[in-house]
Amino acid sequence: MAPRGSLLLLALLLLSCALPRARGQHWSHGWYPGGKRDLRTPANLPAWAPRAVPARGRKTRYDPPAKSKAGRVKLPPPVDPEELLVVLERYRQHRLVLSALRAEFRAEVLQRKREERLAAQGSAEELEEHRRLMAWNEEENARQRARREERLRKEEEEQKRRKLEIAEKQARKMEAFVEEKEKEVLQLQEEAKNFITPENLEARIEECLDNPRNYNFAIDKDGRIVKRTVLS
Amino acid sequence: MVQLGSRLLRGRGGHVVIRFALGGCTNRPFFRIVAANSRRARDGKYLEQLGCLDPLPNAHGEKVAGLNLERLRYWLGCGAQLSRPAEKLLGRPGAGAGLGAGGPGSLPLSPRLTGQGWRGSCRSIQ
């Protein structure tokens, strides 16, 4: 029985592998692209890839989309870049001019309203006075503007000069630093000639042993050597 | 007593628009150039009529339009928007010359009027 059972299991396994994936599609799960009888493997699109969103005609919002539309990808209409550039530029110009004209008309309207109001309120002398004062105000504004521009110009020059100075100082510092470092490097190179390397280790040891130096001495407060003991 | 439509009293939105109100009879349209609140019906109550336009060509083959430029400037100064056909009409050289008589220049020729021309010229070049 056991071999026959195992044979049966094997046969079932082979069968399941041999049969193509006959997918039971249901509209609530979304149609697989290709349609009912599609035997190709699914494309496995990423989640952010554009998917079909069909427009509504005969069906209502709650009807499922047709199976033939399951793999449809809708793209936006193609744009000619030259034409787009031209059109955008034209629109920009148009809007610019239009807004300028509107501003002018607005100024006109406001002026007329003001004049009406003034004419209703005051007499001719008041209007004259107002106009005179406005002119004087304009003059004052112009004068202040000139002074302000002068001041700003001077400040700018000052700033430029300061920046230049700072840059020069920096450059000088850098130079000094570089010089110092160079000197150190040269000094080190000089000293390196006297270093003890693995090659002349033996020779140097021999040298030290051959020339014993006596460091046993005492000095007094003036720094002169007073007493020397003999090396034993 | 002023009876305001309840839709206009909703408390927000709405602006003045210069647009065409359609009138006339069957197969005989006629437009009135009108300044109205944007939320009014197309042919409904308007603030002021600023002109008219006959879309059918007359005996000499011309399409005639009349404009009250003075009031038009007033409304544009008050911040009225223009509908697309109104923009096209006012972008034409004749209307522009009248509007810009007191100002710097005429209204610019709308890009929509010149777009087809550009495309056509491109095609003819290619």
Side-chain angles (χ1 to χ4, degrees), chain A residues 129-182:
Chain A
E129 173 98 9
H130 177 74
R131 245 172 257 137
R132 209 162 37 77
L133 287 171
M134 287 299 285
W136 179 79
N137 193 24
E138 284 293 323
E139 274 175 46
E140 280 293 314
N141 281 350
R143 193 169 64 83
Q144 294 286 12
R145 200 181 8 251
R147 280 181 64 190
R148 199 186 322 132
E149 272 165 17
E150 185 66 30
R151 179 169 54 85
L152 285 172
R153 198 171 51 77
K154 284 219 179 82
E155 275 182 14
E156 262 189 48
E157 282 182 21
E158 184 67 29
Q159 271 207 353
K160 251 189 260 178
R161 200 176 52 76
R162 229 177 284 158
K163 268 199 184 151
L164 217 66
E165 267 181 34
I166 287 169
E168 276 178 19
K169 231 198 291 184
Q170 279 277 28
R172 255 178 272 146
K173 263 200 222 165
M174 274 308 290
E175 274 185 33
F177 180 74
V178 162
E179 269 189 40
E180 220 184 279
K181 289 298 170 190
E182 270 190 34

Side-chain angles (χ1 to χ4, degrees), chain B residues 50-120:
Chain B
L50 304 170
C52 56
L53 163 69
D54 181 8
L56 301 183
N58 66 5
H60 304 282
E62 310 157 333
K63 293 188 189 169
V64 181
L67 287 173
N68 186 347
L69 293 165
E70 179 65 42
R71 295 305 294 169
L72 195 61
R73 289 161 75 111
Y74 169 76
W75 281 112
L76 283 174
C78 288
Q81 301 297 316
L82 292 166
S83 70
R84 277 196 203 176
E87 208 175 49
K88 270 190 185 169
L89 181 69
L90 293 175
R92 301 189 87 85
L99 264 182
S106 64
L107 269 189
L109 204 58
S110 166
R112 292 184 201 97
L113 279 177
T114 50
Q116 286 85 13
W118 185 82
R119 257 181 246 131

Side-chain angles (χ1 to χ4, degrees), chain A residues 33-84:
Chain A
K36 245 196 248 181
R37 290 167 189 90
D38 175 45
L39 298 176
R40 294 174 287 134
T41 50
N44 285 334
L45 295 167
W48 44 262
R51 273 179 268 216
V53 180
R56 243 192 306 292
R58 178 179 62 84
K59 300 180 173 177
T60 60
R61 161 175 276 223
Y62 309 103
D63 290 327
K67 280 173 256 188
S68 60
K69 296 282 182 288
R72 182 167 171 233
V73 172
K74 283 209 286 187
L75 299 167
V79 170
D80 180 20
E82 287 175 19
E83 193 182 338
L84 182 71

Side-chain angles (χ1 to χ4, degrees), chain A residues 49-117:
Chain A
R51 273 179 268 216
V53 180
R56 243 192 306 292
R58 178 179 62 84
K59 300 180 173 177
T60 60
R61 161 175 276 223
Y62 309 103
D63 290 327
K67 280 173 256 188
S68 60
K69 296 282 182 288
R72 182 167 171 233
V73 172
K74 283 209 286 187
L75 299 167
V79 170
D80 180 20
E82 287 175 19
E83 193 182 338
L84 182 71
L85 264 170
V86 169
V87 167
L88 285 177
E89 181 59 31
R90 283 217 182 122
Y91 266 110
R92 193 184 68 85
Q93 300 272 356
H94 170 84
R95 281 197 200 114
L96 206 68
V97 178
L98 203 64
S99 59
L101 278 174
R102 269 187 210 275
E104 221 201 80
F105 295 155
R106 178 147 186 75
E108 254 187 52
V109 166
L110 286 175
Q111 174 72 7
R112 229 175 282 164
K113 274 203 187 131
R114 214 181 301 138
E115 274 175 9
E116 257 179 64
R117 192 165 41 87

